[in-house]
């Protein structure tokens, strides 16, 4: 037990590992919105939202507090693509709050997540340019660069929940995420990814899934042939990637 606690403490202090503490709470918030008992403004939903959102905010305080107190040099040292998980956590929390009718809380968490994203995007160019020589992110974790796509796609869906419609802002965020998807797919960003399968490859699945969800909302709003074709292509790609990753995982189980 003591060894397990020491490992968790070291991961909590690690500049990459700490971001993965957001993952369970992101999953819980997504499951909360898809649960059959989820009804807006119900007592159980509100309690569960607080239970799942408070750890996200606590982790925000920990990460942002270090950034503010230790300065820009510390930020440029520890910022990495897995930092997008904290952005996604805030945006998923904002979406859940908006679906429950808590628009002010939703706007607050949405703003917090987007400010964090802008800070990380400012560092992203530096990260990308020094990718080949950087030792801040292991080669096996390079697929997490796809999380940049996920953050904007979730932001598009979260703003739709806040605004009540897939308006111009949601469309802009969707097209930004689509542009990043094309950029990462057509450039050599992943040229040095480790070819042997590892669990980090699952970082491809979630971004493509939320991008497909955003394209579905866009197609329902626009009702055009091209929009529906885009939705079908992204949805099929998302399902295909998920099936391939499942197959690779089963084949590489020890």
């Amino acid at each position: 037990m003591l060894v397990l606690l020491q490992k968790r403490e070291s991961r909590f202090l690690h500049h990459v590992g700490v971001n993965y503490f957001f993952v369970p709470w992101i999953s819980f918030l997504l499951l909360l919105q898809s649960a059959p008992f989820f009804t807006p403004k119900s007592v159980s939903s509100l309690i569960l939202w607080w239970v799942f959102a408070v750890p996200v905010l606590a982790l925000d305080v920990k990460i942002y507090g270090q950034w503010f107190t230790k300065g820009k040099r510390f930020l440029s040292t520890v910022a990495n693509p897995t930092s997008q998980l904290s952005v996604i956590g805030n945006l998923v929390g904002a979406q859940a709050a908006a679906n429950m009718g808590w628009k002010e809380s939703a706007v607050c968490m949405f703003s917090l997540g987007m400010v964090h994203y802008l800070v990380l995007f400012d560092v992203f160019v530096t990260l990308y340019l020094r990718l080949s020589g950087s030792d801040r992110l292991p080669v096996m974790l390079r697929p997490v660069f796809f999380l940049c796509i996920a953050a904007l796609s979730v932001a598009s869906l979260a703003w739709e929940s806040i605004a009540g419609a897939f308006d111009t802002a949601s469309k802009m965020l969707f097209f930004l995420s689509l542009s990043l998807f094309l950029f990462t797919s057509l450039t050599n960003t992943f040229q040095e990814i480790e070819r042997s399968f590892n669990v980090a490859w699952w970082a491809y699945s979630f971004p493509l899934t939320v991008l497909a969800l955003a394209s579905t909302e866009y197609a329902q709003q626009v009702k055009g042939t091209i929009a529906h074709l885009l939705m079908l292509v992204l949805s099929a790609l998302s399902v295909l990637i998920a099936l391939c990753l499942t197959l690779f995982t089963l084949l590489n189980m020890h």
Side-chain angles (χ1 to χ4, degrees):
M1 179 66 71
L2 181 60
V3 174
L4 181 62
L5 290 175
Q6 290 176 344
K7 287 183 177 180
R8 293 199 173 188
E9 183 180 1
S10 63
R11 188 176 301 174
F12 185 76
L13 297 175
H14 194 266
H15 65 282
V16 174
V18 67
N19 296 297
Y20 284 94
F21 281 93
F22 285 93
V23 174
W25 310 112
I26 294 172
S27 302
F28 293 151
L29 287 166
L30 291 173
L31 288 172
L32 175 62
Q33 297 177 75
S34 60
F37 60 82
F38 178 80
T39 54
K41 298 184 179 180
S42 67
V43 177
S44 59
S45 297
L46 294 177
I47 293 175
L48 287 174
W49 184 86
W50 276 108
V51 171
F52 301 150
V54 166
V56 173
L57 296 174
L59 288 168
D60 284 343
V61 172
K62 189 267 181 188
I63 293 176
Y64 300 161
Q66 283 185 323
W67 290 5
F68 289 139
T69 56
K70 296 188 178 182
K72 186 184 298 184
R73 180 173 298 180
F74 177 80
L75 172 59
S76 62
T77 302
V78 301
N80 61 85
T82 60
S83 301
Q84 300 290 338
L85 289 169
S86 60
V87 179
I88 296 171
N90 284 286
L91 295 175
V92 171
Q95 184 182 14
N99 289 333
M100 291 187 298
W102 286 15
K103 294 300 176 71
E104 298 301 321
S105 299
V107 171
C108 177
M109 293 196 71
F110 181 88
S111 302
L112 184 63
M114 292 309 295
V115 168
H116 188 186
Y117 183 83
L118 290 175
V119 172
L120 291 175
F121 190 81
D122 184 46
V123 182
F124 176 78
V125 176
T126 305
L127 289 171
Y128 177 72
L129 290 176
R130 72 180 187 183
L131 180 60
S132 59
S134 176
D135 59 352
R136 283 289 152 192
L137 192 70
V139 174
M140 65 178 296
L141 290 181
R142 295 285 166 81
V144 299
F145 268 90
F146 246 55
L147 292 174
C148 297
I149 302 169
L152 287 174
S153 299
V154 175
S156 177
L157 296 171
W159 186 256
E160 180 196 17
S161 300
I162 295 172
F166 204 82
D167 59 6
T168 303
S170 295
K171 293 177 184 177
M172 290 176 62
L173 290 168
F174 165 65
F175 282 118
L176 283 172
S177 62
L178 184 61
S179 300
L180 277 179
F181 169 69
L182 295 174
F183 172 77
T184 52
S185 301
L186 298 177
T187 60
N188 62 345
T189 305
F190 303 110
Q191 186 176 5
E192 299 181 12
I193 289 177
E194 193 174 83
R195 301 303 177 185
S196 59
F197 174 80
N198 62 76
V199 71
W201 282 24
W202 278 96
Y204 294 127
S205 179
F206 178 71
L208 285 173
T209 300
V210 291
L211 182 61
L213 289 174
S215 70
T216 301
E217 298 297 330
Y218 174 72
Q220 291 178 352
Q221 179 69 27
V222 175
K223 302 185 185 301
T225 304
I226 297 179
H228 280 81
L229 181 61
L230 179 63
M231 175 191 69
L232 292 174
V233 170
L234 291 175
S235 299
L237 183 61
S238 173
V239 173
L240 178 62
I241 292 297
L243 291 176
C244 290
L245 289 173
T246 302
L247 180 62
F248 285 143
T249 303
L250 292 174
L251 292 175
N252 288 273
M253 290 180 64
H254 299 289

